[in-house]
Amino acid sequence: MNIEKLYEMQEALDRHIEEQHGLQSENLIDRKVLALLVELGELANETRCFKFWSLKPASGHKVILEEFVDGIHFILSLGIETGFRESGFADVSLPSCKLSDQFLVVYSAIDEFRKNRDQQAYSRLFREYMGVAQMLGFSEDDVVKAYIEKNEVNYERQRSGY
Ligand SMILES: O=c1ccn([C@H]2C[C@H](O)[C@@H](COP(=O)(O)OP(=O)(O)OP(=O)(O)O)O2)c(=O)[nH]1
């Protein structure tokens, strides 16, 4: 399974959702950017990496991976909407900062992408987000598998009038 296949799956899902909600002629970019920011916050929340005031442990691996791939959906979707692509995630290196700092790096990459809308900003966003995967110990395989599962759940939710 390569990343090109994930873009294809995302494109089909997006088309399905747009048809279902009669949104084919709407520009959804800003709403998808906001959705990605929200997903990133939900992911940070599950890791609890910034909660210096609490001793409660992070959520389990599975819950965190599920949150992570919601963000992947919106990153792929934004690439499709804007015509940019990332060709792979194999060579993303492990960030040397704290996890909470890497979340801030991703927030800033999202904002930069929103302002610049170019290939460089898109690649940076994708790679910094995959840097979070590295820090959380997720392999490319883990991400692809979990993406495929959630993609199917997303169809099911549309079918059941979610
Ligand atoms: O155009 C779209 C719109 C949504 N999604 C996907 C991305 C993500 O996997 C899911 C939305 O996130 P989530 O499942 O967290 O939805 P929610 O409505 O926020 O769920 P909940 O109410 O359970 O928090 O829908 C897309 O792929 N394309």
Side-chain angles (χ1 to χ4, degrees):
M1 173 69 69
N2 61 22
I3 191 164
E4 203 39 58
K5 181 76 191 146
L6 297 195
Y7 278 106
E8 280 171 29
M9 292 177 69
Q10 187 64 46
E11 198 161 3
L13 174 61
D14 286 353
R15 207 174 308 126
H16 179 75
I17 292 174
E18 282 170 28
E19 280 167 15
Q20 193 92 348
H21 295 269
L23 295 168
Q24 294 95 322
S25 56
E26 291 218 27
N27 183 336
L28 298 172
I29 295 177
D30 280 347
R31 277 173 274 178
K32 287 181 183 181
V33 168
L34 179 57
L36 177 58
L37 290 166
V38 170
E39 293 299 348
L40 190 62
E42 288 179 3
L43 176 62
N45 223 23
E46 296 297 346
T47 69
R48 303 183 69 82
C49 66
F50 60 96
K51 300 198 175 198
F52 57 85
W53 56 88
S54 166
L55 296 174
K56 241 171 98 176
S59 296
H61 198 77
K62 190 167 179 290
V63 169
I64 294 178
L65 183 55
E66 281 167 6
E67 288 295 349
F68 183 83
V69 296
D70 282 332
I72 290 283
H73 276 75
F74 286 115
I75 291 174
L76 294 171
S77 188
L78 281 166
I80 293 160
E81 291 265 10
T82 53
F84 304 120
R85 288 276 194 280
E86 184 61 15
S87 52
F89 28 50
D91 60 338
V92 174
S93 53
L94 183 67
S96 55
C97 59
K98 290 200 295 280
L99 182 57
S100 56
D101 288 334
Q102 184 63 15
F103 274 105
L104 294 175
V105 167
V106 179
Y107 269 111
S108 137
I110 296 170
D111 199 42
E112 193 184 297
F113 171 71
R114 187 165 111 84
K115 284 189 231 140
N116 296 358
R117 298 257 179 101
D118 59 18
Q119 179 64 53
Q120 197 190 356
Y122 183 73
S123 291
R124 175 170 172 245
L125 162 59
F126 202 114
R127 300 174 75 77
E128 296 297 1
Y129 192 70
M130 285 308 296
V132 173
Q134 289 255 344
M135 294 177 102
L136 292 171
F138 300 145
S139 68
E140 184 176 334
D141 241 36
D142 294 334
V143 172
V144 168
K145 269 198 206 116
Y147 173 86
I148 293 169
E149 275 171 31
K150 182 61 192 262
N151 188 284
E152 186 47 47
V153 168
N154 282 326
Y155 276 104
E156 188 47 48
R157 285 181 170 181
Q158 294 298 316
R159 275 193 286 272
S160 61
Y162 167 78

